[in-house]
Amino acid sequence: MAEKNKSTSGVKVQALDINVLRITHYFSEDNSNIISPAWLDDVIINNCKDVLFNGRVDIKDGLVSISDADGKIKYFEKEFSFHREKWKLNIDKQSGEFLYGWGEQFTHFHQKYGKFKLSARESPEFLQNKQSYSAIPYYFSSACYAFFLLNAYETDWTISENSLKVEAHGGGADYLVILGENPKEILDTYTRLTGRPKLIPRWAFGLWATCYPQENQFRVLQYVREHRERQIALDVLVLDYHWEEHFH
């Protein structure tokens, strides 16, 4: 069992749940002046107190390694650096490991290679595969851990065969690492920490379709009638942004 709070010069590790660690890199010998973002209490709303992490934490040269209760390494930091207002973190990635998340993007379902920037923007269609669409600095690994960055600044992410590099353009090097036996357990822990929305209406679970690209009113109504005539379920019809006179 790891200690409830463990810190060295340069990094502080705190247990928020039996499977959740908050890692904070700081840039002085004194870690008592670490200031959390003003919005943190609106994001992490159910962290536990006086809890012991069910695993092991090792810190060497300011880098963190996290193992589960069975001693298997789940998360391993290879490099960390800070220069002026920017910082960089290099996280170990196993060969064949897949990463999922970062919000809604018009890219692959899972990420094995590539570079992208997290910055919420209204992007026209021809840029949606190059810019963030609905950015969330959270990802899940097929190695059964999740990473949630507590930073609202723009970040650059680079995924290669054996590493994941994140570079922030400001803010703190402050993040959560969530362990679990499977994706369902990790998701359950994540939503317990961040809050769970009410169950969405029944129709929202049905089939969604979009009139995309732009269609006129006659064609849209005909599209709906064809579904009904063919007895194909249709609960939501989206009139996408091409219906607007100007983009957004």
Side-chain angles (χ1 to χ4, degrees), residues 223-239:
Y223 185 74
V224 174
R225 283 193 293 268
E226 288 178 359
H227 278 74
R228 294 293 181 254
E229 292 171 358
R230 299 171 185 267
Q231 297 184 332
I232 300 175
L234 180 62
D235 293 272
V236 178
L237 187 65
V238 179
L239 304 181

Side-chain angles (χ1 to χ4, degrees), residues 73-102:
I73 296 178
K74 292 289 188 175
Y75 173 86
F76 179 76
E77 296 179 353
K78 302 167 69 173
E79 182 182 5
F80 178 81
S81 62
F82 175 75
H83 180 66
R84 295 181 179 177
E85 297 299 321
K86 294 184 179 182
W87 56 264
K88 297 180 182 180
L89 175 65
N90 187 353
I91 303 169
D92 183 69
K93 176 175 167 287
Q94 303 172 22
S95 178
E97 180 180 349
F98 289 98
L99 307 175
Y100 307 80
W102 292 283

Side-chain angles (χ1 to χ4, degrees), residues 100-114:
Y100 307 80
W102 292 283
E104 182 180 5
Q105 300 182 58
F106 289 83
T107 56
H108 302 289
F109 174 61
H110 62 258
Q111 302 286 348
K112 190 174 180 180
Y113 305 99

